[in-house]
Amino acid sequence: MSRRAAGAAAGLLAGLAGLVPPAGAAEFHLYLLCEGRVASRGVAHDAQLHLALRDNNMTALIQRSNLLPVGERMRYTASETAYTMSYRTPAAGSRLHADWFGTRIFVWMPDLRRLAETRLTIDRQSAELRGELLNADGDTLGQLRMQCEPRAPEDLPPPRF
């Protein structure tokens, strides 16, 4: 190909690029509005979890919840029967107490921060969510049971993503 032909082809491609709109952010394909109960040590409380699922990178955005931090993302796996996902709670960190000379006195981990992971499974036929709250040793701290209502992006009130 001659330089003149290559230059013409590059100019044509540049002109066509101006006609194509820029690629936008990937859109969510499914919204799940889940309401139910969380039980721990024989006590149950109301729970809610609203998720937005994205197919192209298999992430679930926590839109509204009284269990998990809003705005966080989880990776999910979709099978023919269920969506499964897990949220690892960031390490709470420990408090370090020191004396005047900078010598460590002790490290304190509050007992209230034992939650290490939340595992969720959503049945794709019944839209039932089941989950468990785990500590760092893998012991169960609580159980989740919710019923999810699938929504399409068009069914949500504004503002939409």
Side-chain angles (χ1 to χ4, degrees), residues 91-154:
S94 50
R95 292 189 183 179
L96 176 65
H97 296 274
D99 62 11
W100 285 92
F101 302 106
T103 308
R104 294 180 184 176
I105 297 174
F106 64 90
V107 176
W108 179 59
M109 286 289 280
D111 189 43
L112 297 174
R113 298 186 178 179
R114 295 184 305 156
L115 180 63
E117 184 176 8
T118 303
R119 292 183 188 164
L120 305 172
T121 302
I122 303 168
D123 187 291
R124 293 181 74 172
Q125 299 301 316
S126 66
E128 181 182 15
L129 180 145
R130 290 187 181 248
E132 55 187 356
L133 308 171
L134 305 171
N135 66 12
D137 297 327
D139 299 327
T140 301
L141 300 174
Q143 299 285 325
L144 294 169
R145 267 201 161 161
M146 297 184 188
Q147 188 61 41
C148 298
E149 182 181 336
R151 296 277 180 95
E154 307 83 45

Side-chain angles (χ1 to χ4, degrees), residues 64-87:
R64 183 176 177 193
S65 178
N66 60 356
L67 297 170
L68 299 173
V70 174
E72 290 291 321
R73 296 177 189 272
M74 299 180 281
R75 305 242 347 124
Y76 72 88
T77 303
S79 69
E80 293 179 9
T81 57
Y83 294 114
T84 56
M85 58 195 80
S86 173
Y87 178 76

Side-chain angles (χ1 to χ4, degrees), residues 5-35:
L12 178 62
L13 289 175
L16 290 175
L19 299 176
V20 178
E27 293 188 11
F28 297 100
H29 77 282
L30 177 64
Y31 297 87
L32 295 172
L33 311 180
C34 305
E35 306 283 332

